C-alpha cells in the first residue's frame, strides 16, 4: 500500500510539474498573436483555443480589417515616411497616443525606443488558458470593438476604450499594444511593468517607487531585421498641474533628443494648461509630425524650424470650432499632395500633415531629417484671433461616435 501511495504521489508531482511547464509556455508573444487573430507558435497551449469558433471568426475579421487598413492607409504612411523622414533619432515620443503603436511604427519605423503616453491604464492580459469559459470570446469582442475607430478613422475613441476594456479578463492598453505589435510583424521578447518616481528614475517589476508613481509597461520586441527595440507606455496626465510633479518628462529627457508624433490630440496643446509638455516637445524634438490638433504654428520659432506641409487644411471639425488657425491655412497654400487620410478629418482630401524639422544650425536637437532639399520660406506669423471660415462638413461617422477625449 505504501509503495502504491508513493507511486501515485510521484505521478501527481509529475502532472503538477507538467502543468506548471505548460502554463509557462504561454508567452507574451503567443498571447499577442492570439489576440491579434494570428496563430500562436506551434506547441503553444493557446493552440487549443484557436479551434473555438469565436476565435476563428475573430481571426477572419482582423485578417480582413488589417489587410484593408494596410492597403488604404498604412502602406501609404510608410511610403510617405520613407520619402520624407530620412535620418530619424533613435527615440520617438508620442504624447496623447493611447495604445497606438500602429502609427508610431508606421511614421517612425527606424526608432529603437518608443515612448507612448495617455490616460488609459496599462492594464493586463492573463493566461488565457485559465480564464473562465466564455470569457475569451468576450475579451476578443471587446478588443475588436475598442479598435473599431482607429481601424476606420485613424484615431482612438477614448470613451469607447474605457467601456470596452475596463472590466473583464483583458483590460487597459496592454491588449491593444499586443495586437498592434503582432500585426506590425513584431516578436515580443519581454514584458514588464515600469514605474517612475518623481525624479524620473525607472523601477521595474515590483520595486518600490514610493507614492504618486507614474505607472506603465515596458515591452521589448524585435522586428524582421532582428534589431531589439523597446516600447514604453505610460498612463499619465499631461496637464501642467500633473506633469510638473511627476517624473514622466524627466524620464523622457534621458532619451532625448527624439522625434515626435502628434495626432488627433483634442487640440489640448492649444491650451495654456498643457504648456509644459508643449515646451518639452519643442525643445526635445528633431522632427515633429502632426496634424492641426497638435502644436499651434505660433509656438514654433521660424528661425529654429523648417516647415513641410502636406495635404489640405480644411479647418477644425465642428466639435472644435475655436481652433481655426489662419497662419496654418496660409502655410498650407503651398502644401504638397498627400494620398492618405489622418486625424479628425480622416478623409484623404481633407487631411493635413505638417512635418517640422529643426534647423541644423539651431544648436539644439539638430537633424538632417528630411529628404526634401527645397528651401522653403518661413511661415507667416499668426494673426489676431480670426473668425473661422466656412469649410466643407466632414461626413458623419457611424451612430454613437464620440471624439477622442
Amino acid at each position: 500500500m505504501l509503495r502504491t501511495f508513493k507511486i501515485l504521489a510521484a505521478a501527481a508531482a509529475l502532472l503538477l510539474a507538467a502543468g506548471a511547464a505548460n502554463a509557462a509556455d504561454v508567452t507574451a508573444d503567443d498571447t499577442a498573436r492570439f489576440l491579434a487573430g494570428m496563430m500562436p507558435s506551434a506547441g503553444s497551449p493557446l493552440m487549443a483555443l484557436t479551434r473555438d469558433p469565436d476565435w476563428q471568426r475573430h481571426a477572419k475579421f482582423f485578417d480582413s480589417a488589417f489587410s484593408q487598413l494596410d492597403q488604404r492607409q498604412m502602406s501609404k504612411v510608410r511610403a510617405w515616411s520613407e520619402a520624407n523622414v530620412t535620418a530619424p533619432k533613435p527615440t520617438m515620443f508620442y504624447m496623447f497616443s493611447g495604445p497606438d503603436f500602429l502609427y508610431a511604427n508606421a511614421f517612425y519605423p527606424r526608432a529603437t525606443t518608443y515612448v507612448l503616453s495617455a490616460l488609459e491604464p496599462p492594464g493586463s492580459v492573463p493566461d488565457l488558458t485559465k480564464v473562465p469559459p466564455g470569457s475569451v470570446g468576450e475579451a476578443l469582442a471587446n478588443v475588436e470593438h475598442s479598435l473599431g475607430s482607429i481601424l476606420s478613422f485613424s484615431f482612438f475613441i477614448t470613451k469607447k476604450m474605457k467601456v470596452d476594456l475596463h472590466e473583464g479578463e483583458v483590460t487597459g492598453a496592454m491588449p491593444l499594444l499586443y495586437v498592434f505589435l503582432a500585426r506590425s510583424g513584431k516578436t515580443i521578447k519581454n514584458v514588464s511593468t515600469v514605474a517612475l518616481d518623481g525624479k524620473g528614475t525607472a523601477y521595474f517589476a515590483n520595486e518600490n517607487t514610493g507614492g504618486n508613481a507614474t505607472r506603465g509597461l515596458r515591452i521589448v520586441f524585435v522586428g524582421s531585421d532582428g534589431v531589439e527595440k523597446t516600447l514604453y507606455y505610460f498612463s499619465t496626465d499631461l496637464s501642467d498641474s500633473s506633469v510638473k510633479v511627476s517624473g514622466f518628462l524627466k524620464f523622457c529627457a534621458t532619451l532625448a533628443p527624439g522625434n515626435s508624433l502628434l495626432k488627433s490630440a483634442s487640440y489640448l496643446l492649444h491650451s495654456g494648461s498643457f504648456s509644459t509638455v508643449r515646451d518639452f516637445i519643442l525643445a526635445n524634438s528633431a522632427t515633429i509630425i502632426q496634424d492641426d490638433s497638435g502644436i499651434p504654428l505660433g509656438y514654433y520659432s521660424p528661425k529654429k524650424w523648417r516647415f513641410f506641409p502636406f495635404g489640405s487644411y480644411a479647418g477644425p471639425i465642428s466639435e472644435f470650432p475655436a481652433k481655426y488657425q489662419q497662419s496654418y491655412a496660409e502655410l498650407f497654400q503651398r502644401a504638397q499632395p498627400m494620398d492618405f487620410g489622418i486625424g479628425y478629418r480622416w478623409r484623404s482630401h481633407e487631411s493635413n500633415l505638417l512635418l517640422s524639422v529643426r534647423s541644423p544650425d539651431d544648436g539644439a536637437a539638430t537633424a538632417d531629417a528630411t529628404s526634401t532639399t527645397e528651401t522653403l520660406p518661413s511661415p507667416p506669423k499668426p494673426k489676431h484671433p480670426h473668425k473661422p471660415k466656412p469649410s466643407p462638413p466632414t461626413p458623419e461617422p457611424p451612430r454613437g461616435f464620440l471624439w477622442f477625449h
Side-chain angles (χ1 to χ4, degrees):
M1 177 69 72
L2 181 60
R3 184 166 179 263
T4 302
F5 177 78
K6 288 182 178 179
I7 292 173
L8 291 173
L14 287 172
L15 287 172
L16 287 172
N22 191 53
D25 288 338
V26 182
T27 65
D29 189 65
D30 283 336
T31 300
R33 293 180 64 85
F34 181 85
L35 290 175
M38 302 166 68
M39 280 290 180
S41 61
S44 169
L46 290 171
M47 285 296 292
L49 297 181
T50 64
R51 295 191 289 269
D52 188 307
D54 283 339
W55 184 86
Q56 293 176 1
R57 179 205 55 77
H58 171 76
K60 289 180 180 178
F61 172 76
F62 267 3
D63 282 346
S64 175
F66 277 94
S67 175
Q68 292 179 42
L69 178 65
D70 193 72
Q71 182 178 4
R72 180 185 71 246
Q73 186 89 351
M74 306 315 299
S75 61
K76 297 176 181 178
V77 173
R78 291 193 298 269
W80 181 92
S81 176
E82 181 68 22
N84 294 286
V85 186
T86 61
K89 296 293 184 181
T91 301
M92 77 87 63
F93 301 114
Y94 188 1
M95 311 296 183
F96 313 102
S97 63
D100 181 19
F101 175 76
L102 192 67
Y103 281 89
N105 178 66
F107 277 111
Y108 289 111
R110 284 174 286 177
T112 54
T113 301
Y114 296 83
V115 183
L116 277 58
S117 56
L119 292 174
E120 290 76 36
S124 62
V125 180
D127 179 348
L128 296 175
T129 64
K130 296 182 177 181
V131 301
S135 295
V136 172
E138 181 181 352
L140 295 175
N142 288 342
V143 169
E144 288 177 19
H145 196 240
S146 52
L147 290 183
S149 63
I150 197 166
L151 293 177
S152 298
F153 309 119
S154 85
F155 55 89
F156 281 109
I157 302 173
T158 304
K159 292 181 181 178
K160 180 185 285 189
M161 279 196 295
K162 286 181 180 178
V163 173
D164 294 338
L165 295 173
H166 178 67
E167 298 178 351
E169 302 293 335
V170 174
T171 62
M174 182 186 283
L176 306 188
L177 291 169
Y178 274 12
V179 169
F180 286 151
L181 283 160
R183 284 287 173 175
S184 298
K186 312 305 181 185
T187 300
I188 297 174
K189 294 297 186 180
N190 180 265
V191 179
S192 61
T193 58
V194 57
L196 306 176
D197 65 16
K199 297 180 180 179
T201 304
Y203 298 82
F204 300 97
N206 296 316
E207 295 176 290
N208 184 17
T209 61
N212 300 319
T214 301
R215 302 195 178 277
L217 301 167
R218 180 181 65 173
I219 302 176
V220 179
F221 66 93
V222 297
S224 58
D225 58 2
V227 176
E228 188 170 280
K229 302 185 177 187
T230 303
L231 165 62
Y232 290 100
Y233 173 84
F234 290 101
S235 175
T236 186
D237 183 346
L238 295 175
S239 64
D240 287 347
S241 58
S242 295
V243 81
K244 286 179 179 179
V245 297
S246 80
F248 174 66
L249 293 183
K250 297 181 182 71
F251 171 79
C252 290
T254 66
L255 301 171
N259 304 282
S260 289
L261 175 62
L262 296 165
K263 176 175 67 65
S264 305
S266 296
Y267 297 88
L268 295 175
L269 294 171
H270 289 228
S271 166
S273 57
F274 287 84
S275 61
T276 303
V277 68
R278 182 177 62 225
D279 292 346
F280 176 89
I281 294 169
L282 288 170
N284 292 279
S285 300
T287 65
I288 301 173
I289 297 173
Q290 68 167 58
D291 61 19
D292 66 294
S293 73
I295 298 174
L297 201 58
Y299 287 102
Y300 288 88
S301 168
K303 295 181 180 179
K304 294 182 178 181
W305 295 91
R306 291 180 293 158
F307 302 102
F308 303 90
F310 296 83
S312 175
Y313 178 58
I317 56 173
S318 59
E319 282 76 5
F320 303 99
K323 304 304 181 182
Y324 183 86
Q325 298 180 70
Q326 179 64 24
S327 58
Y328 222 78
E330 294 174 4
L331 174 62
F332 272 78
Q333 289 177 3
R334 58 176 173 82
Q336 300 177 52
M338 187 172 71
D339 62 352
F340 58 89
I342 202 79
Y344 294 136
R345 288 195 176 274
W346 44 273
R347 302 291 190 189
S348 59
H349 65 280
E350 294 183 346
S351 292
N352 67 83
L353 202 62
L354 178 62
L355 170 61
S356 301
V357 181
R358 186 179 293 277
S359 299
D361 59 353
D362 177 56
T366 58
D368 179 15
T370 175
S371 61
T372 306
T373 57
E374 176 188 6
T375 301
L376 299 175
S378 299
K381 294 182 179 180
K383 298 180 179 180
H384 295 293
H386 183 277
K387 184 178 180 179
K389 297 179 180 179
S391 57
T394 300
E396 288 298 319
R399 183 177 300 175
F401 188 83
L402 296 170
W403 297 104
F404 179 83
H405 283 299

